[in-house]
Amino acid sequence: MENFITEYLKLPKRICLPEDTEITKELLKKILKIHDEDIGRYKILQGYYEGKAKIFERTKDKNKSNNKLVLDYPSYIIDVLLGLFVGKPISYTVKEENREKFKVIQDTLDLNNEQDENTEVAKMCGIKGRGYEIVYVDEESNIRFNEVNPENIVLVYDDKIIPKPIFAIYQAELTDVDNLGKESKDKKIIIYKKDIIQEFTKVKGDLHLLNEYPNPFGEVPVIEFLNNNEGIGDFERVLSLIDAINLSQSDTANDFEEFTNAILVLYGILDTDNEDIRQLIEDRVLLLDESGQNAQWLIKEINDAALENYKNRLDRDIHKFAKVPNMNDENFAGNVSGESMKYKLFATNQIIAQKQRKFKTALEARFRLIINGLKIKSGLDLDYRDISIVFNENTPFNELDNINTVKAALDTGLSKQYALGKLRDIDDISEELKREEDERDIYAEEFEKELREDENNIPGTSKKL
């Protein structure tokens, strides 16, 4: 069990090398060997999310109960934070003069199911602390991007004060009809450099170059999404508490099972044999004819109150230190005010804000790569910094309080842009203001038309003011 604990507490370290480092086969093998040490941690964290846990490794005497119950806290923590983070799709805005240019980028986002991609990468970051995305050009010359598990990729940075990627290594098993089902397979290795992309096969530890072609993006087309600066998963810090509550719940089930299978103790009935016990089980009646004879169950005393207090404390600590609210708690009833809800979700909002900052950095890298590719394809002239990335809040809120906040902002003479920015249900404020202006123009035209019809006394028209 010590190996289990050591693996999931050991965080991957960023690999940094001088920018002019020569990328040799020996260097690639050394980096891949270092990366292999991190794969165990990723698998354990993914396993917890899928419902596997340390309790499954417990062994006991075959004559004793050995229930293995898993409480799905990892999935709960990930799914709640994921919903609060990207439950409402991320939106992007640009200035009016750049709207037509951005349509080309929006087409690329739509082609790649960008909203679903964001959700998958965000979930990967929540589980494993980091996720990756590769941007590439498909057979039809379309720019594509897709998430990649951290088990399959290594991003190597330079050794400057602000490190930047100098190359990335992607590895995956080569599967075909012949080796399907085999545990050991050859591997495909792809090296992404700033100027070229190289494809290798790894056979019995040796690398063989298969193909080499230019990189159209001008920089390493691999993006690292971090959950936080340390690359720690959302439930990783509370794994010991989760293990403890799984153990406690399993032992409680064992106690109740052993209570059901309790031993019957007979006092003063020394001549009882197997036939007597069989008859007792069948008739479910025991007759005692002497004062010294007695019978009772031998059971383990269970302190229910202490046990429940212990499990409740573990439950509270898991929510507290994972900074994820218990949505079944009475403190989250529907009549709670918006201001009160803010304080209850304060710690959670700090986690979401941290995720947003890291995710925004990665999304800027995605836009930069897409624009680099579109410059070559269609001559697009747009700076990625001209695209505003807006994370839409998805925390519970009191709708009436929200509307009153907007109304108060308008009544005090603040701009509509600011006031509508406080309205939680609007994703694109500029688009909403434009729709309002278009509707106002339509109503004005209709009103002027009706006035002209009235002045000319056109038959069949009615006066509407």
Side-chain angles (χ1 to χ4, degrees):
M1 207 60 72
E2 291 180 357
N3 291 335
F4 185 99
I5 295 172
T6 303
E7 281 180 352
Y8 76 60
L9 291 180
K10 185 178 180 182
L11 295 173
K13 293 183 179 179
R14 175 177 284 183
I15 299 175
C16 295
L17 297 171
E19 190 175 13
D20 58 354
T21 299
E22 182 183 359
I23 304 174
T24 63
K25 292 183 179 180
E26 288 69 26
L27 176 62
L28 296 177
K29 291 178 184 178
K30 187 180 294 186
I31 293 173
L32 289 173
K33 186 176 180 181
I34 294 172
H35 177 66
D36 286 343
E37 297 174 1
D38 302 327
I39 292 177
R41 170 180 171 271
Y42 296 133
K43 288 182 177 179
I44 288 171
L45 293 173
Q46 183 66 35
Y48 267 89
Y49 180 76
E50 294 174 359
K52 301 163 190 165
K54 183 179 179 181
I55 190 68
F56 285 122
E57 297 187 0
R58 182 172 73 168
T59 58
K60 268 193 172 185
D61 189 310
K62 64 180 180 179
N63 295 319
K64 293 183 178 181
S65 299
N66 188 19
N67 289 285
K68 300 175 182 180
L69 306 184
V70 175
L71 304 184
D72 200 13
Y73 282 97
S75 175
Y76 179 87
I77 292 168
I78 294 297
D79 294 346
V80 168
L81 289 178
L82 186 66
L84 296 175
F85 178 33
V86 289
K88 283 190 176 180
I90 301 169
S91 54
Y92 312 102
T93 60
V94 293
K95 293 180 179 178
E96 185 64 35
E97 60 266 25
N98 291 325
R99 282 185 178 271
E100 287 300 319
K101 295 179 182 178
F102 186 73
K103 283 182 179 179
V104 183
I105 298 175
Q106 186 63 58
D107 290 341
T108 300
L109 298 181
D110 294 341
L111 178 65
N112 287 276
N113 297 316
E114 170 258 345
Q115 294 180 15
D116 182 62
E117 170 72 5
N118 289 343
T119 302
E120 290 304 310
V121 175
K123 183 170 77 171
M124 190 185 300
C125 290
I127 297 171
K128 303 173 184 178
R130 67 188 68 213
Y132 293 89
E133 186 175 85
I134 295 179
V135 183
Y136 62 99
V137 178
D138 66 12
E139 295 81 0
E140 298 176 355
S141 299
N142 295 313
I143 297 175
R144 307 300 297 263
F145 50 85
N146 198 74
E147 78 275 5
V148 181
N149 282 306
E151 297 97 306
N152 299 106
I153 203 157
V154 189
L155 196 55
V156 180
Y157 291 81
D158 61 29
D159 57 355
K160 296 180 180 178
I161 295 175
I162 302 178
K164 293 183 178 180
I166 51 178
F167 68 94
I169 309 172
Y170 170 80
Q171 65 173 346
E173 291 184 337
L174 281 171
T175 304
D176 53 33
V177 177
D178 296 329
N179 67 9
L180 189 64
K182 292 183 179 179
E183 292 186 6
S184 179
K185 299 182 179 70
D186 295 335
K187 292 186 177 180
K188 172 176 67 176
I189 307 290
I190 302 178
I191 312 300
Y192 294 93
K193 303 178 185 178
K194 294 180 180 179
D195 53 348
I196 61 171
I197 299 172
Q198 297 174 312
E199 293 183 0
F200 293 83
T201 56
K202 187 178 180 182
V203 181
K204 296 180 180 179
D206 293 328
L207 295 175
H208 305 278
L209 181 63
L210 290 180
N211 198 5
E212 184 175 293
Y213 44 90
N215 174 12
F217 297 101
E219 56 183 282
V220 179
V222 175
I223 306 164
E224 183 176 50
F225 290 76
L226 286 172
N227 197 46
N228 44 58
N229 211 45
E230 297 75 23
I232 299 175
D234 289 335
F235 59 83
E236 192 167 357
R237 290 186 177 92
V238 294
L239 276 181
S240 59
L241 295 174
I242 294 172
D243 288 338
I245 201 167
N246 285 339
L247 180 63
S248 178
Q249 199 78 347
S250 300
D251 285 345
T252 301
N254 290 342
D255 290 340
F256 279 106
E257 186 174 316
E258 290 173 2
F259 177 86
T260 305
N261 299 325
I263 298 172
L264 179 64
V265 181
L266 302 176
Y267 297 93
I269 315 177
L270 301 178
D271 57 346
T272 303
D273 57 20
N274 290 337
E275 180 59 27
D276 293 328
I277 295 174
R278 186 196 62 77
Q279 192 66 38
L280 168 62
I281 295 173
E282 183 177 329
D283 297 340
R284 305 183 67 83
V285 174
L286 177 63
L287 299 177
L288 303 176
D289 56 5
E290 294 182 16
S291 59
Q293 294 180 347
N294 191 13
Q296 68 180 47
W297 292 104
L298 181 62
I299 61 174
K300 180 181 179 181
E301 292 293 333
I302 302 175
N303 189 335
D304 291 341
L307 189 59
E308 285 306 306
N309 287 336
Y310 173 67
K311 288 191 283 189
N312 288 337
R313 186 166 66 249
L314 284 174
D315 177 77
R316 289 194 299 270
D317 286 346
I318 289 171
H319 288 289
K320 175 182 176 180
F321 295 115
K323 301 177 181 66
V324 175
N326 183 352
M327 293 301 182
N328 294 321
D329 192 284
E330 60 184 10
N331 291 324
F332 287 91
N335 58 353
V336 176
S337 70
E339 196 64 27
S340 177
M341 190 73 74
K342 285 182 183 178
Y343 286 105
K344 294 181 188 304
L345 293 172
F346 179 78
T348 306
N349 287 336
Q350 307 316 302
I351 294 293
I352 299 301
Q354 183 176 243
K355 285 173 172 284
Q356 289 175 352
R357 286 191 291 270
K358 292 298 179 183
F359 214 79
K360 182 180 179 181
T361 301
L363 291 179
E364 288 175 344
R366 179 198 285 172
F367 279 124
R368 192 170 62 247
L369 288 166
I370 290 174
I371 291 171
N372 288 349
L374 289 174
K375 279 181 183 178
I376 299 173
K377 182 180 178 180
S378 59
L380 177 67
D381 182 20
L382 182 67
D383 194 316
Y384 74 93
R385 288 166 289 194
D386 292 333
I387 302 171
S388 297
I389 300 170
V390 181
F391 293 91
N392 298 300
E393 193 175 352
N394 196 35
T395 53
F397 69 101
N398 187 303
E399 292 189 20
L400 182 60
D401 286 353
N402 186 226
I403 292 171
N404 288 336
T405 300
V406 176
K407 186 176 182 299
L410 291 171
D411 290 345
T412 54
L414 295 172
S415 69
K416 283 188 176 181
Q417 182 90 16
Y418 175 83
L420 291 178
K422 297 293 182 181
L423 197 59
R424 293 279 300 272
D425 290 332
I426 292 183
D427 295 334
D428 191 334
I429 301 169
S430 300
E431 185 65 28
E432 181 62 27
L433 290 172
K434 186 176 184 302
R435 280 197 294 264
E436 182 194 20
E437 184 179 345
D438 292 342
E439 288 179 0
R440 190 166 57 243
D441 292 342
I442 292 172
Y443 292 145
E445 290 175 3
E446 288 293 325
F447 185 72
E448 290 176 2
K449 180 181 177 182
E450 291 179 0
L451 282 178
R452 287 195 300 271
E453 290 175 348
D454 184 61
E455 290 173 356
N456 295 330
N457 294 318
I458 298 176
T461 60
S462 60
K463 186 175 181 180
K464 298 178 183 177
L465 295 175

